[in-house]
Amino acid sequence: MKKSNIKKEIRLIKLGLIEIHKLQPWVIPVTIIHSFLQSISPFINIYMSSMIVDQLVSARNVDRLIILVGITISLNLVVHLLLKGLGHLLALLRSIMGQNQDMRLNEKIISMDYQHVENSEVHVLRTKIQEAENMNGGGIYALLSYFSILIEGLVIVGTSIVLIKEMFYAGSAIDSSVSLINSPIFNIIFISLLAIGTIYNLKLKQDSERKFFSSFNQVMVYNRIGMFYAEQIMDYNSGKEIRLYNQKDLYINGMTDMVNRFNKVFEEIVAENIKYGAGNGFISSLLSSLVYVFVGLKAILGYISVGNVVKYTGSINQFKRGSSTLLTAIIGLKTNNQYVQLYLDFLNIEGEKYKGTLPVEKRDDDEYEIEFRNVSFKYPGTEEYVLKNISLKLNIGERLAIVGMNGSGKTTFIKLLCRLYDPDEGEILLNGIDIKKYDYDEYLNLFSIVFQDFKLFSFSLGQNVAASVEYDEKEVEDILIKAGLKERLSTMPKGVHTPLYKDFDEDGVEISGGEAQKIALARALYRDAPIIILDEPTAALDPIAEFEIYSKFNEIVGTKTAFYISHRLSSCRFCDEIAVFHEGRIVQKGSHEELLQDVNGKYYELWHSQAQYYNEEAV
Ligand code: ADP
């Protein structure tokens, strides 16, 4: 690996550890102490056993033996208790860290600029982070695990080297005519054989781990597709389609295919593990025999004590274990870095929107005037303008209808007005000042909006309408009645406190599309903002309910400034002015009567193509 790559990998590990520290400041120190104790504990026994054996075969001093055994037992006990306690503490800290991580990711999604929320790349990024976490805890969580293994590997290798080192000098002072067994050449041969064996073993391990991780990436893709099938089947909307179009086999075949592929990769992983296990076992046995022969010969010739045989063989075995652990940690850290990168990429998604500071003037007279001045816009990452040269002024208290075919840019116009996106060219003004300059939250408070694809949440009806935990019960009720939900409300078991849907509460109620739309309308009215925006607010309503809303429109909107978007022209007649959108441009503007005069205009064309609608309505 190139030096710059190593630097990059180390930097990522460092950044990941900084993130872990932010999520849970105690988890890294406790991990270090735990790993240190975990890896040092076998050496306590190796070291103490060597001293006890020496005492047994030499002086046999009973007092000393008792002291040595006492120290060994006490140390074991202390380390064991510490490890148990720290283990539990670590499990708790890791769990807190995991929860904080989820919170951090969720907070990021909630607070990021809307344009990122609509961006599919951002969704894929979030999904990948989740998948890696689900499958093997890949990412920040796995970084901590590999970091802990790294500490263990380093401590084991370091301690065993310190203990083994003296073996090569042992006895050289005894005999000046150094026998072959104790000669430097023999030592070098031994070390070389040990090194070759260990490196070969590590190489086997490296190949096996690499194969495992590449299989793992494959498994993640199959898992994603499997999850997709599971979600689709669980969704009761697809339940309808699957039954009506008899798509059962399509799903079953797809899922079976995924399960088979999934299993095949697992079979490969198991086969690989068996192969690696056999190779590794063979080399390890050879190495162990070599160690015993070497150390044994030294002991027989009297260069080292019997106790030291225990110490050196134990330490060499630990060295083998430690180097393998170290390799697992290094490969693991390197592979896991791709997931750490995903996590950091996600957190580093920048807020690009300029956030102004200007307070929005509070006006009792609701005199807020909106103007689009030569506004053009294309969605990030796309080439085509969705809105081109839009100029439009909406005077205080006026009602503007925006009509046009699907895809003509009506909703995008509203998204710009609410600053979910900023124009690429031109500007939008509130009372003559660019809306970017206003404090964003204050600016948003000017609007009550019902989007076509509105969303209600699994909270209580009252909380949905008030968009807050606390609400005025009477006010919510009045508004729901105003929005046409009187009858349905009377059937709700807990009135406005009834939970919507059953996600969080078994007593939750299911509501129809039309009812949901009325609740969304009530939410906009509850906000009582000076500017009201209704994007196809009656699309899911039956004609009677729609008529009800229209007839109440004057009452609902009152003196507020209103934007009303619809592709159903009949519903726009009560607006002061109608702007006709076509392919991102305003092609006509005027009152209903004025627009109908232009027989070559888009409005005339749309009106007549929808004539059948009005006949229905007339009926
Ligand atoms: P309307 O409300 O008139 O039906 P929209 O404003 O929703 O039209 O869409 C206008 C155009 O912008 C359409 O061609 C649509 O495909 C495109 N569009 C809408 N949202 C996005 C988005 N998030 N990214 C890219 N293109 C989009």
Side-chain angles (χ1 to χ4, degrees):
M1 202 168 29
K2 276 198 217 139
K3 210 169 166 188
S4 61
N5 279 348
I6 297 178
K7 260 193 180 163
K8 207 176 122 209
E9 301 285 352
I10 292 177
R11 191 173 156 272
L12 262 179
I13 294 170
K14 211 171 101 191
L15 290 175
L17 288 173
I18 291 173
E19 276 306 318
I20 291 178
H21 179 72
K22 280 191 210 156
L23 294 172
Q24 215 313 308
W26 282 105
V27 78
I28 293 180
V30 175
T31 300
I32 294 175
I33 300 172
H34 184 264
S35 302
F36 180 80
L37 277 179
Q38 177 105 331
S39 36
I40 208 78
S41 69
F43 289 101
I44 297 175
N45 286 331
I46 291 172
Y47 194 79
M48 294 310 293
S49 307
S50 83
M51 288 178 66
I52 292 169
V53 170
D54 273 348
Q55 197 51 233
L56 280 172
V57 295
S58 58
R60 290 184 165 234
N61 180 329
V62 176
D63 288 348
R64 207 164 149 64
L65 264 174
I66 290 173
I67 292 173
L68 284 174
V69 171
I71 293 175
T72 311
I73 293 173
S74 312
L75 278 176
N76 268 313
L77 196 68
V78 171
V79 170
H80 177 76
L81 287 178
L82 275 174
L83 275 175
K84 273 262 171 241
L86 285 172
H88 287 306
L89 178 61
L90 204 52
L92 177 69
L93 293 175
R94 274 171 167 266
S95 150
I96 295 173
M97 180 189 114
Q99 280 160 17
N100 287 349
Q101 182 194 347
D102 287 345
M103 285 284 284
R104 181 138 166 69
L105 291 170
N106 290 339
E107 273 169 18
K108 180 74 194 177
I109 297 174
I110 287 179
S111 59
M112 69 176 50
D113 287 355
Y114 182 74
Q115 68 178 66
H116 298 306
V117 177
E118 268 198 346
N119 183 344
S120 60
E121 283 172 27
V122 174
H123 280 274
V124 171
L125 192 56
R126 179 69 187 97
T127 311
K128 281 187 176 170
I129 294 173
Q130 193 66 52
E131 277 169 3
E133 253 179 57
N134 291 350
M135 293 291 289
N136 76 338
I140 288 295
Y141 209 78
L143 170 61
L144 191 62
S145 306
Y146 289 122
F147 175 69
S148 129
I149 300 175
L150 179 76
I151 305 278
E152 282 177 28
L154 285 174
V155 174
I156 297 172
V157 167
T159 316
S160 50
I161 287 176
V162 169
L163 290 181
I164 299 164
K165 213 178 68 192
E166 65 185 61
M167 176 176 77
F168 298 104
Y169 307 117
S172 49
I174 302 172
D175 192 346
S176 53
S177 63
V178 179
S179 75
L180 179 66
I181 295 298
N182 212 34
S183 67
I185 291 181
F186 196 79
N187 282 344
I188 290 168
I189 292 173
F190 172 72
I191 294 175
S192 308
L193 285 175
L194 197 64
I196 292 169
T198 310
I199 290 170
Y200 187 73
N201 238 350
L202 292 180
K203 175 91 187 63
L204 278 182
K205 188 173 174 76
Q206 189 181 28
D207 292 347
S208 151
E209 299 245 334
R210 284 215 175 119
K211 277 189 193 141
F212 171 76
F213 279 118
S214 84
S215 312
F216 176 72
N217 281 340
Q218 252 176 303
V219 166
M220 283 221 307
V221 175
Y222 300 151
N223 189 51
R224 184 185 314 160
I225 300 171
M227 294 276 285
F228 168 77
Y229 277 120
E231 272 169 26
Q232 292 261 308
I233 289 174
M234 287 296 286
D235 180 352
Y236 49 78
N237 281 324
S238 6
K240 274 199 308 267
E241 313 288 331
I242 291 171
R243 280 159 187 77
L244 289 173
Y245 288 96
N246 201 8
Q247 295 188 78
K248 198 172 101 206
D249 289 346
L250 207 64
Y251 270 85
I252 299 283
N253 288 345
M255 280 194 293
T256 314
D257 182 41
M258 270 317 114
V259 170
N260 288 342
R261 287 179 194 220
F262 201 88
N263 288 343
K264 191 160 175 295
V265 178
F266 266 111
E267 278 165 24
E268 281 165 15
I269 292 176
V270 171
E272 182 58 36
N273 279 345
I274 293 173
K275 210 170 91 192
Y276 162 70
N280 179 53
F282 180 68
I283 305 282
S284 280
S285 318
L286 275 184
L287 285 181
S288 296
S289 314
L290 182 72
V291 169
Y292 283 113
V293 169
F294 180 78
V295 178
L297 281 174
K298 281 207 174 208
I300 288 167
L301 292 174
Y303 294 122
I304 57 171
S305 67
V306 181
N308 277 341
V309 172
V310 175
K311 189 165 82 181
Y312 296 142
T313 49
S315 300
I316 291 172
N317 282 331
Q318 285 299 321
F319 176 79
K320 283 192 297 177
R321 187 171 78 91
S323 49
S324 165
T325 308
L326 209 52
L327 186 77
T328 304
I330 292 168
I331 296 174
L333 282 169
K334 187 174 171 298
T335 314
N336 186 56
N337 262 352
Q338 57 180 311
Y339 304 118
V340 173
Q341 183 74 64
L342 294 181
Y343 181 79
L344 296 174
D345 284 350
F346 190 76
L347 290 186
N348 288 338
I349 293 173
E350 296 259 339
E352 283 153 30
K353 187 162 33 199
Y354 175 78
K355 296 223 164 76
T357 51
L358 197 67
V360 173
E361 195 188 349
K362 305 271 176 301
R363 303 185 64 117
D364 292 337
D365 55 7
D366 280 355
E367 298 223 338
Y368 298 102
E369 185 185 77
I370 300 275
E371 182 181 357
F372 275 60
R373 211 179 266 172
N374 242 338
V375 168
S376 297
F377 172 75
K378 51 181 184 255
Y379 280 99
T382 62
E383 289 304 314
E384 231 165 280
Y385 278 98
V386 170
L387 292 177
K388 193 74 190 153
N389 292 331
I390 301 289
S391 289
L392 192 78
K393 191 165 177 178
L394 187 61
N395 297 319
I396 299 149
E398 263 185 5
R399 288 158 202 187
L400 173 77
I402 300 169
V403 301
M405 297 197 304
N406 277 339
S408 57
K410 305 183 294 292
T411 302
T412 307
F413 173 85
I414 298 300
K415 285 183 187 166
L416 293 192
L417 179 60
C418 306
R419 285 208 68 205
L420 294 178
Y421 291 89
D422 283 330
D424 292 310
E425 289 157 33
E427 50 185 2
I428 305 168
L429 308 167
L430 169 72
N431 290 352
I433 297 173
D434 192 330
I435 57 172
K436 287 187 195 169
K437 298 199 172 128
Y438 290 107
D439 176 280
Y440 186 53
D441 290 336
E442 281 196 25
Y443 176 72
L444 276 191
N445 279 337
L446 293 179
F447 299 98
S448 288
I449 310 170
V450 184
F451 274 112
Q452 190 177 356
D453 52 356
F454 63 89
K455 183 101 186 90
L456 298 178
F457 301 96
S458 304
F459 306 132
S460 76
L461 175 61
Q463 286 174 338
N464 267 287
V465 172
S468 78
V469 182
E470 304 293 336
Y471 51 88
D472 182 326
E473 195 178 322
K474 181 79 183 59
E475 205 178 334
V476 168
E477 261 176 30
D478 288 348
I479 286 194
L480 282 167
I481 292 168
K482 203 170 171 184
L485 214 81
K486 188 174 179 188
E487 268 176 44
R488 183 70 178 96
L489 184 61
S490 64
T491 64
M492 297 231 181
K494 295 183 192 161
V496 292
H497 304 301
T498 308
L500 295 190
Y501 314 113
K502 294 188 185 293
D503 299 312
F504 300 151
D505 197 321
E506 277 187 15
D507 295 334
V509 293
E510 294 296 336
I511 45 174
S512 71
E515 286 159 359
Q517 200 155 38
K518 287 179 186 170
I519 297 171
L521 185 65
R523 175 171 61 189
L525 297 178
Y526 186 91
R527 191 161 191 186
D528 197 24
I531 302 169
I532 189 159
I533 300 173
L534 304 172
D535 183 357
E536 305 274 8
T538 57
L541 298 184
D542 55 60
I544 296 172
E546 189 179 18
F547 177 75
E548 231 179 279
I549 296 278
Y550 287 154
S551 52
K552 281 189 188 163
F553 197 73
N554 278 335
E555 188 192 336
I556 289 172
V557 173
T559 57
K560 295 176 199 300
T561 305
F563 288 85
Y564 187 87
I565 300 171
S566 184
H567 64 272
R568 247 165 121 164
L569 305 195
S570 62
S571 56
C572 302
R573 279 177 296 184
F574 52 84
C575 289
D576 304 306
E577 190 168 39
I578 299 171
V580 185
F581 275 55
H582 186 61
E583 293 176 350
R585 293 172 189 269
I586 297 180
V587 289
Q588 274 182 296
K589 220 166 12 177
S591 69
H592 172 69
E593 285 71 26
E594 282 165 6
L595 292 173
L596 271 189
Q597 305 279 311
D598 182 358
V599 292
N600 296 317
K602 191 80 196 162
Y603 191 83
Y604 185 90
E605 180 195 325
L606 289 171
W607 178 262
H608 285 280
S609 68
Q610 290 182 6
Q612 159 206 0
Y613 255 145
Y614 319 133
N615 292 338
E616 268 172 34
E617 268 165 28
V619 172

PDB file of all heavy atoms in Angstrom, residues 118 379 386 405-412 415 421, ligand 1:
ATOM      1  N   GLU A 118     -34.408  15.343  -0.885  1.00  0.00           N
ATOM      2  CA  GLU A 118     -35.001  14.859  -2.146  1.00  0.00           C
ATOM      3  C   GLU A 118     -33.969  14.192  -3.054  1.00  0.00           C
ATOM      4  O   GLU A 118     -34.323  13.668  -4.092  1.00  0.00           O
ATOM      5  CB  GLU A 118     -35.631  16.037  -2.905  1.00  0.00           C
ATOM      6  CG  GLU A 118     -37.085  16.215  -2.565  1.00  0.00           C
ATOM      7  CD  GLU A 118     -37.830  17.065  -3.600  1.00  0.00           C
ATOM      8  OE1 GLU A 118     -37.192  17.731  -4.444  1.00  0.00           O
ATOM      9  OE2 GLU A 118     -39.049  17.053  -3.553  1.00  0.00           O
ATOM     10  N   TYR A 379     -33.376  21.685 -10.939  1.00  0.00           N
ATOM     11  CA  TYR A 379     -33.056  20.876  -9.762  1.00  0.00           C
ATOM     12  C   TYR A 379     -31.566  20.540  -9.757  1.00  0.00           C
ATOM     13  O   TYR A 379     -30.986  20.331 -10.831  1.00  0.00           O
ATOM     14  CB  TYR A 379     -33.907  19.594  -9.742  1.00  0.00           C
ATOM     15  CG  TYR A 379     -35.303  19.841  -9.226  1.00  0.00           C
ATOM     16  CD1 TYR A 379     -36.375  20.005 -10.094  1.00  0.00           C
ATOM     17  CD2 TYR A 379     -35.540  19.934  -7.865  1.00  0.00           C
ATOM     18  CE1 TYR A 379     -37.657  20.254  -9.613  1.00  0.00           C
ATOM     19  CE2 TYR A 379     -36.823  20.183  -7.379  1.00  0.00           C
ATOM     20  CZ  TYR A 379     -37.865  20.344  -8.251  1.00  0.00           C
ATOM     21  OH  TYR A 379     -39.116  20.594  -7.766  1.00  0.00           O
ATOM     22  N   VAL A 386     -36.610  23.864 -14.855  1.00  0.00           N
ATOM     23  CA  VAL A 386     -37.977  23.455 -14.534  1.00  0.00           C
ATOM     24  C   VAL A 386     -38.848  24.709 -14.472  1.00  0.00           C
ATOM     25  O   VAL A 386     -40.044  24.680 -14.744  1.00  0.00           O
ATOM     26  CB  VAL A 386     -37.982  22.686 -13.202  1.00  0.00           C
ATOM     27  CG1 VAL A 386     -39.379  22.459 -12.701  1.00  0.00           C
ATOM     28  CG2 VAL A 386     -37.269  21.357 -13.365  1.00  0.00           C
ATOM     29  N   MET A 405     -50.621  21.832 -16.696  1.00  0.00           N
ATOM     30  CA  MET A 405     -50.637  20.371 -16.747  1.00  0.00           C
ATOM     31  C   MET A 405     -49.634  19.813 -15.741  1.00  0.00           C
ATOM     32  O   MET A 405     -48.778  20.541 -15.231  1.00  0.00           O
ATOM     33  CB  MET A 405     -50.265  19.921 -18.157  1.00  0.00           C
ATOM     34  CG  MET A 405     -51.304  20.420 -19.153  1.00  0.00           C
ATOM     35  SD  MET A 405     -51.243  19.584 -20.722  1.00  0.00           S
ATOM     36  CE  MET A 405     -49.619  19.800 -21.278  1.00  0.00           C
ATOM     37  N   ASN A 406     -49.722  18.517 -15.512  1.00  0.00           N
ATOM     38  CA  ASN A 406     -48.745  17.870 -14.632  1.00  0.00           C
ATOM     39  C   ASN A 406     -47.337  18.095 -15.152  1.00  0.00           C
ATOM     40  O   ASN A 406     -47.101  18.008 -16.352  1.00  0.00           O
ATOM     41  CB  ASN A 406     -48.995  16.350 -14.585  1.00  0.00           C
ATOM     42  CG  ASN A 406     -50.072  16.031 -13.581  1.00  0.00           C
ATOM     43  OD1 ASN A 406     -50.338  16.832 -12.685  1.00  0.00           O
ATOM     44  ND2 ASN A 406     -50.693  14.880 -13.747  1.00  0.00           N
ATOM     45  N   GLY A 407     -46.436  18.393 -14.250  1.00  0.00           N
ATOM     46  CA  GLY A 407     -45.041  18.565 -14.643  1.00  0.00           C
ATOM     47  C   GLY A 407     -44.737  19.950 -15.177  1.00  0.00           C
ATOM     48  O   GLY A 407     -43.636  20.210 -15.670  1.00  0.00           O
ATOM     49  N   SER A 408     -45.705  20.882 -15.104  1.00  0.00           N
ATOM     50  CA  SER A 408     -45.446  22.209 -15.674  1.00  0.00           C
ATOM     51  C   SER A 408     -44.677  23.109 -14.702  1.00  0.00           C
ATOM     52  O   SER A 408     -44.296  24.224 -15.060  1.00  0.00           O
ATOM     53  CB  SER A 408     -46.765  22.866 -16.109  1.00  0.00           C
ATOM     54  OG  SER A 408     -47.644  22.948 -15.014  1.00  0.00           O
ATOM     55  N   GLY A 409     -44.461  22.641 -13.479  1.00  0.00           N
ATOM     56  CA  GLY A 409     -43.605  23.403 -12.553  1.00  0.00           C
ATOM     57  C   GLY A 409     -44.351  24.076 -11.414  1.00  0.00           C
ATOM     58  O   GLY A 409     -43.770  24.898 -10.688  1.00  0.00           O
ATOM     59  N   LYS A 410     -45.629  23.743 -11.220  1.00  0.00           N
ATOM     60  CA  LYS A 410     -46.440  24.432 -10.207  1.00  0.00           C
ATOM     61  C   LYS A 410     -45.907  24.182  -8.783  1.00  0.00           C
ATOM     62  O   LYS A 410     -45.698  25.114  -8.009  1.00  0.00           O
ATOM     63  CB  LYS A 410     -47.908  23.960 -10.301  1.00  0.00           C
ATOM     64  CG  LYS A 410     -48.515  24.117 -11.682  1.00  0.00           C
ATOM     65  CD  LYS A 410     -49.971  23.728 -11.733  1.00  0.00           C
ATOM     66  CE  LYS A 410     -50.255  22.271 -11.486  1.00  0.00           C
ATOM     67  NZ  LYS A 410     -49.778  21.349 -12.534  1.00  0.00           N
ATOM     68  N   THR A 411     -45.669  22.892  -8.463  1.00  0.00           N
ATOM     69  CA  THR A 411     -45.193  22.575  -7.112  1.00  0.00           C
ATOM     70  C   THR A 411     -43.793  23.137  -6.884  1.00  0.00           C
ATOM     71  O   THR A 411     -43.472  23.623  -5.796  1.00  0.00           O
ATOM     72  CB  THR A 411     -45.204  21.042  -6.893  1.00  0.00           C
ATOM     73  OG1 THR A 411     -46.536  20.592  -7.114  1.00  0.00           O
ATOM     74  CG2 THR A 411     -44.771  20.663  -5.500  1.00  0.00           C
ATOM     75  N   THR A 412     -42.983  23.104  -7.925  1.00  0.00           N
ATOM     76  CA  THR A 412     -41.626  23.631  -7.803  1.00  0.00           C
ATOM     77  C   THR A 412     -41.677  25.127  -7.454  1.00  0.00           C
ATOM     78  O   THR A 412     -40.887  25.622  -6.644  1.00  0.00           O
ATOM     79  CB  THR A 412     -40.850  23.406  -9.124  1.00  0.00           C
ATOM     80  OG1 THR A 412     -40.955  22.028  -9.467  1.00  0.00           O
ATOM     81  CG2 THR A 412     -39.402  23.796  -8.985  1.00  0.00           C
ATOM     82  N   LYS A 415     -42.193  25.316  -3.895  1.00  0.00           N
ATOM     83  CA  LYS A 415     -40.984  24.928  -3.157  1.00  0.00           C
ATOM     84  C   LYS A 415     -39.998  26.100  -3.094  1.00  0.00           C
ATOM     85  O   LYS A 415     -39.330  26.308  -2.096  1.00  0.00           O
ATOM     86  CB  LYS A 415     -40.310  23.730  -3.824  1.00  0.00           C
ATOM     87  CG  LYS A 415     -41.023  22.408  -3.596  1.00  0.00           C
ATOM     88  CD  LYS A 415     -40.201  21.313  -4.250  1.00  0.00           C
ATOM     89  CE  LYS A 415     -40.899  19.971  -4.237  1.00  0.00           C
ATOM     90  NZ  LYS A 415     -40.245  19.028  -5.158  1.00  0.00           N
ATOM     91  N   TYR A 421     -35.930  25.213  -1.929  1.00  0.00           N
ATOM     92  CA  TYR A 421     -34.823  25.409  -2.880  1.00  0.00           C
ATOM     93  C   TYR A 421     -34.683  26.908  -3.112  1.00  0.00           C
ATOM     94  O   TYR A 421     -35.634  27.660  -2.900  1.00  0.00           O
ATOM     95  CB  TYR A 421     -35.139  24.740  -4.220  1.00  0.00           C
ATOM     96  CG  TYR A 421     -35.155  23.234  -4.177  1.00  0.00           C
ATOM     97  CD1 TYR A 421     -36.321  22.545  -3.875  1.00  0.00           C
ATOM     98  CD2 TYR A 421     -33.998  22.496  -4.432  1.00  0.00           C
ATOM     99  CE1 TYR A 421     -36.339  21.155  -3.835  1.00  0.00           C
ATOM    100  CE2 TYR A 421     -34.014  21.110  -4.397  1.00  0.00           C
ATOM    101  CZ  TYR A 421     -35.181  20.453  -4.095  1.00  0.00           C
ATOM    102  OH  TYR A 421     -35.199  19.089  -4.052  1.00  0.00           O
TER     103      TYR A 421
HETATM  104  P1  ADP B   1     -46.363  20.108 -11.230  1.00  0.00           P
HETATM  105  O1  ADP B   1     -46.537  20.482  -9.798  1.00  0.00           O
HETATM  106  O2  ADP B   1     -46.800  21.183 -12.177  1.00  0.00           O
HETATM  107  O3  ADP B   1     -46.982  18.789 -11.568  1.00  0.00           O
HETATM  108  P2  ADP B   1     -43.559  19.855 -10.547  1.00  0.00           P
HETATM  109  O4  ADP B   1     -43.137  21.187 -10.085  1.00  0.00           O
HETATM  110  O5  ADP B   1     -43.836  18.827  -9.507  1.00  0.00           O
HETATM  111  O6  ADP B   1     -44.780  19.962 -11.538  1.00  0.00           O
HETATM  112  O7  ADP B   1     -42.434  19.262 -11.513  1.00  0.00           O
HETATM  113  C1  ADP B   1     -41.885  20.026 -12.563  1.00  0.00           C
HETATM  114  C2  ADP B   1     -40.776  19.200 -13.203  1.00  0.00           C
HETATM  115  O8  ADP B   1     -39.711  19.046 -12.279  1.00  0.00           O
HETATM  116  C3  ADP B   1     -41.189  17.796 -13.614  1.00  0.00           C
HETATM  117  O9  ADP B   1     -40.606  17.515 -14.868  1.00  0.00           O
HETATM  118  C4  ADP B   1     -40.588  16.924 -12.546  1.00  0.00           C
HETATM  119  O10 ADP B   1     -40.255  15.669 -13.066  1.00  0.00           O
HETATM  120  C5  ADP B   1     -39.349  17.696 -12.137  1.00  0.00           C
HETATM  121  N1  ADP B   1     -38.992  17.455 -10.746  1.00  0.00           N
HETATM  122  C6  ADP B   1     -39.804  17.580  -9.678  1.00  0.00           C
HETATM  123  N2  ADP B   1     -39.132  17.306  -8.523  1.00  0.00           N
HETATM  124  C7  ADP B   1     -37.860  17.020  -8.889  1.00  0.00           C
HETATM  125  C8  ADP B   1     -36.673  16.676  -8.163  1.00  0.00           C
HETATM  126  N3  ADP B   1     -36.652  16.575  -6.840  1.00  0.00           N
HETATM  127  N4  ADP B   1     -35.556  16.453  -8.868  1.00  0.00           N
HETATM  128  C9  ADP B   1     -35.555  16.541 -10.212  1.00  0.00           C
HETATM  129  N5  ADP B   1     -36.622  16.873 -10.950  1.00  0.00           N
HETATM  130  C10 ADP B   1     -37.775  17.114 -10.318  1.00  0.00           C
END
